[in-house]
Amino acid sequence: MDNMAEKPQDVAILEQLKQGIARFELVSSPVSSISSSESVTRSFPFSLNGGHPLFAKIGPVLGSPALRKAEHYTVQKVTGDGRCLFRALAKGMASNRGIPLRPFEEKNDADDLRMAVKEVICDNGKERRQYEAALIAITVEESLERYCQRIQRPDFWGGESELLVLSKLCKQPIIVYIPEHEHAIGWRGSSFIPIAEYGAEFKGGVGKPKKPVRLLYSSRNHYDLLV
């Protein structure tokens, strides 16, 4: 993996994985490398627990943003203190239940979500195996030991790996968006393009379908909430 980080294109892929705007998919055979201005798909071989070889396919979940239809929401700003992904998710889940969070509750809930990921990935080897895609996303960039040291810090930035874990752990559908015209000068619109989805299997559960939490990712490496 060291050679991968030396290539500008692969540095961009790692950044997308880190920030949660690209993701891994486990496949049984390699895929061709596809590169465009909108998306990159790569595959890397590995094995888990000495089993059959698998491949980690990297790419945007919902395809090219240019092919996605814009949706309209209102942005609820989230404090940018390093907890923004966890804050936005905590705020969104509470909002879906009709529960407003006071600032200290939002902060505490955000830290609880971060530590829940730590407990699953770092403290429980048996449970960790249920989150193979998250483990791959983590270890493609750094050692698990280093990750487990960093995630204990309150200013730890969440991204792809944490979304993979928390969507499953909380049984919560999560959709990540980008602004439709993020780079337009002076843009103040309300149109957003979905680029990744997590926990889609929890949308149509028994009884009342679970409402997704919609997160807005900006080029400032920041997450806000869309409502």
Side-chain angles (χ1 to χ4, degrees), residues 61-77:
V61 178
L62 297 180
S64 166
L67 301 178
R68 303 298 302 174
K69 183 178 179 180
E71 302 174 18
H72 300 275
Y73 299 101
T74 299
V75 179
Q76 286 193 2
K77 292 294 185 180

Side-chain angles (χ1 to χ4, degrees), residues 71 73 175-179 192-195 214-217 226:
E71 302 174 18
Y73 299 101
I175 305 175
V176 179
Y177 294 75
I178 58 173
F192 307 96
I193 298 172
I195 59 168
R214 304 179 193 277
L215 304 180
L216 174 64
Y217 174 80
L226 295 178

